[in-house]
Amino acid sequence: MRVILFRGKRVDNGEWIEGFYAQSGEKKYILIDNDIAVGYLAMKEVNPDTIGQYTGLTDKNGVKIFEGDIVHFKTTAYHFKNCRIKYQSCYARYCAIDDKGYEYPMDKAFEYEVIGNIHDSPEIL
């Protein structure tokens, strides 16, 4: 079963955090399990533009791949560079999009490497 996890940049200090997604009114939050033994969840407001869901895949270095990440990846025949990760709702899948707009469905058989994200390093694209 795939872990449902989100990432976002905190409004108060710009730090990236991972956890569960929540919304209250217009504000968006990431819930962090600070001390799960006593049932304590910290709720931190995040910039809604930075929220991305975990794809369920990790790169060759064990880094979790989220929506909005920029990756290099290899298939058996090709090597793709500077592709951004996006969710395709019409197909209910994640894909890597190259600079020409071609979309490649993500596959656990491919070798990915996260090199940045669209929020911290948009110049890579």
Side-chain angles (χ1 to χ4, degrees), residues 8-74:
K9 270 188 143 179
R10 288 175 52 169
V11 171
D12 60 352
N13 65 9
E15 173 187 333
W16 283 102
I17 56 172
E18 297 175 9
F20 304 103
Y21 171 78
Q23 181 174 344
S24 177
E26 296 296 314
K27 295 185 178 187
K28 312 245 187 308
Y29 300 91
I30 298 289
L31 305 173
I32 310 163
D33 58 341
N34 280 355
D35 190 352
I36 201 69
V38 294
Y40 174 69
L41 289 174
M43 187 165 75
K44 304 294 181 184
E45 185 180 358
V46 294
N47 179 338
D49 296 333
T50 65
I51 297 171
Q53 189 171 358
Y54 175 49
T55 63
L57 299 174
T58 56
D59 76 357
K60 67 181 188 177
N61 301 310
V63 175
K64 294 175 187 158
I65 303 173
F66 285 86
E67 283 180 276
D69 278 342
I70 300 170
V71 300
H72 294 327
F73 73 98
K74 295 179 186 177

Side-chain angles (χ1 to χ4, degrees), residues 8 13-14 37 42 47 60 66 77 89 97 103 111 118 125:
N13 65 9
N47 179 338
K60 67 181 188 177
F66 285 86
S89 58
I97 303 172
E103 300 175 348
E111 181 182 281
I118 60 173
L125 296 175

Side-chain angles (χ1 to χ4, degrees), residues 2 53-57 66-67 84-97 101-107 110 112:
R2 185 170 73 84
Q53 189 171 358
Y54 175 49
T55 63
L57 299 174
F66 285 86
E67 283 180 276
R84 67 183 169 92
I85 303 301
K86 183 178 178 187
Y87 183 72
Q88 291 179 310
S89 58
C90 59
Y91 296 112
R93 67 181 181 196
Y94 291 95
C95 67
I97 303 172
Y102 294 116
E103 300 175 348
Y104 307 95
M106 293 186 76
D107 190 313
F110 299 161
Y112 296 92

